[in-house]
Amino acid sequence: MNKQENKPDEITIDELIIKRKKIIGAGIGLGIVAIIAFAIIFYIAITKKNYALMGLTGGITIPFLPILIYLKQLDKEISLRNANRIS
């Protein structure tokens, strides 16, 4: 089976830019959902006087770490290719 690799160093710069835009869009979508979840948990914690629920809000931020790491890799690869193109 001939499977395409999605490593940043094996695709074109245009594909990298498109991929970066998609990842940013996914991050924004996940961020909106996270803000809504923060608000709901905060509201429930205050109205039910169950302040232990506030601890859940820290776990909501964990899915953003892989997104940020991958975006950083894409930015490095794009800037490296742009520097090589200019030189």
Side-chain angles (χ1 to χ4, degrees):
M1 185 178 278
N2 194 1
K3 184 179 176 184
Q4 263 188 344
E5 292 293 326
N6 288 329
K7 294 181 181 178
D9 57 347
E10 296 178 354
I11 58 178
T12 66
I13 193 164
D14 294 331
E15 291 173 342
L16 285 175
I17 292 171
I18 291 170
K19 204 172 251 216
R20 183 178 181 276
K21 287 180 182 179
K22 285 181 182 179
I23 296 295
I24 288 174
I28 290 172
L30 185 61
I32 291 169
V33 171
I35 289 171
I36 293 170
F38 279 134
I40 291 170
I41 291 172
F42 187 75
Y43 175 77
I44 291 172
I46 298 298
T47 57
K48 302 288 184 182
K49 295 183 181 176
N50 186 1
Y51 302 110
L53 287 175
M54 298 286 215
L56 292 175
T57 58
I60 293 174
T61 60
I62 292 173
F64 290 102
L65 293 176
I67 292 172
L68 292 174
I69 291 169
Y70 191 64
L71 273 176
K72 188 69 174 173
Q73 288 176 346
L74 286 176
D75 286 340
K76 274 186 188 177
E77 188 66 29
I78 290 170
S79 65
L80 179 68
R81 290 187 187 190
N82 284 336
N84 287 342
R85 186 184 289 182
I86 294 171
S87 307

